[in-house]
Amino acid sequence: MGHLVQRRLQSWDVYRGSNGANQVFSFVRTGNTNSGTVDIKAVLNWLRTNGWMGDVTLGDVQFGYEITSSSGGMDFVTNSFSVSSS
């Protein structure tokens, strides 16, 4: 991701960098969880308040795993995923 800046946002480590073409923000949980909810608007507001992003329109939401190493192998399972707006 290039030069990284790390900050703490509740139970997430937040990284900012570039993939060469776009600015990228990565949110990495600081602990394990079996379930959870993310308030995407609150995250976008946090990015804007901290000067990392201006006013934008959200067009897509992506979810996935980016596994860089796991000694001994690990299982990553998602039983359900949904997005809603209000």
Side-chain angles (χ1 to χ4, degrees):
M1 291 182 70
H3 181 68
L4 298 177
V5 176
Q6 179 181 356
R7 296 188 182 180
R8 172 84 68 192
L9 175 63
Q10 295 177 3
S11 60
W12 302 86
D13 283 336
V14 184
Y15 298 88
R16 171 174 73 168
S18 172
N19 65 7
N22 300 295
Q23 192 168 8
V24 176
F25 304 103
S26 298
F27 295 81
V28 180
R29 287 218 27 111
T30 58
N32 295 332
T33 185
N34 291 326
S35 66
T37 301
V38 176
D39 183 340
I40 295 171
K41 186 173 181 185
V43 170
L44 294 174
N45 285 337
W46 185 89
L47 290 170
R48 189 171 39 103
T49 299
N50 285 279
W52 285 14
M53 182 175 73
D55 291 330
V56 299
T57 299
L58 182 64
D60 294 305
V61 176
Q62 298 177 358
F63 170 82
Y65 304 104
E66 185 172 335
I67 303 168
T68 58
S69 66
S70 61
S71 61
M74 302 184 83
D75 293 325
F76 297 88
V77 177
T78 300
N79 294 317
S80 66
F81 168 76
S82 66
V83 175
S84 62
S85 65
S86 58

